[in-house]
């Protein structure tokens, strides 16, 4: 990739730490206090990198909705039911349908799908995992419709805070 030439930036964000509440449906699990803090910190880190996402595609689960709300307060968040329990190829198909005018896009989802998506796009194998609240910034010269395995370059991936 040429210096300073980036067609698209994709941020893949895993929801922050969620509580386990007996009897509560998985989709309704709230963030823990640490999860709330980590989601805000993820947003601060994105802003510190100068990233201003135009659109976020977000799972409808409570923990992902709250993560997006705290991390991406000025972003157009669109809820996509297909993100919940999605496999990486399903997430990739969703990303490929994104508006070609969008330059910076965020996907807020769940493991193992988000971790496997990042590994596939970056052409990596395995990795150190994808803890709650973590995100990776991927750059690609491709249009969203052409996004595929090995077509992204991971530019920033923080560890657990």
């Amino acid at each position: 990739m040429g210096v300073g030439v980036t067609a698209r930036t994709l941020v893949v964000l895993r929801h922050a730490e969620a509580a386990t509440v007996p009897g509560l449906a998985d989709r309704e699990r709230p963030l823990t206090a640490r999860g709330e803090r980590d989601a805000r910190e993820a947003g601060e880190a994105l802003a510190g990198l100068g990233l201003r996402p135009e659109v976020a595609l977000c799972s409808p689960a409570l923990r992902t909705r709250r993560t997006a709300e705290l991390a991406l307060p000025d972003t157009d968040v669109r809820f996509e039911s297909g993100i919940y329990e999605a496999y990486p190829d399903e997430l990739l198909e969703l990303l490929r349908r994104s508006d070609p005018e969008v330059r910076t896009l965020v996907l807020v989802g769940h493991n193992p799908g988000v971790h496997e998506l990042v590994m596939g796009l970056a052409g990596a194998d395995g990795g150190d995992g994808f803890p709650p609240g973590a995100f990776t910034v991927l750059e690609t010269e491709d249009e969203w419709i052409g996004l595929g395995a090995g077509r992204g370059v991971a530019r920033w991936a923080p560890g657990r805070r």
Side-chain angles (χ1 to χ4, degrees):
M1 232 183 283
V3 176
V5 177
T6 302
R8 304 281 180 277
T9 300
L10 172 64
V11 178
V12 180
L13 171 62
R14 181 179 175 196
H15 67 79
E17 184 179 82
T20 301
V21 181
L24 190 64
D26 183 64
R27 286 180 182 245
E28 298 306 315
R29 291 173 50 211
L31 293 182
T32 63
R34 177 187 175 149
E36 297 257 336
R37 184 187 73 236
D38 287 353
R40 284 186 193 92
E41 288 177 1
E44 291 167 6
L46 287 170
L49 292 171
L51 293 172
R52 305 283 182 261
E54 299 147 84
V55 175
L57 303 176
C58 183
S59 162
L62 178 60
R63 60 192 179 274
T64 47
R65 293 190 328 250
R66 183 67 175 151
T67 297
E69 178 183 323
L70 294 170
L72 308 163
D74 300 321
T75 302
D76 176 15
V77 178
R78 300 175 187 173
F79 300 104
E80 296 281 346
S81 61
I83 296 173
Y84 185 77
E85 296 185 339
Y87 290 99
D89 58 329
E90 294 167 318
L91 295 172
L92 185 57
E93 283 305 313
L94 178 67
L95 294 170
R96 287 178 177 155
R97 292 192 304 267
S98 295
D99 183 338
E101 298 300 314
V102 172
R103 305 304 270 184
T104 303
L105 178 67
V106 180
L107 174 71
V108 185
H110 310 266
N111 257 0
V114 293
H115 179 239
E116 292 173 4
L117 174 70
V118 167
M119 293 296 99
L121 290 175
D125 201 13
D128 294 333
F130 216 82
F135 66 87
T136 296
V137 177
L138 294 151
E139 295 178 351
T140 183
E141 291 184 2
D142 293 337
E143 299 285 330
W144 298 121
I145 197 162
L147 195 59
R151 301 299 301 167
V153 176
R155 293 293 185 203
W156 200 78
R160 180 184 285 267
R161 283 174 278 286

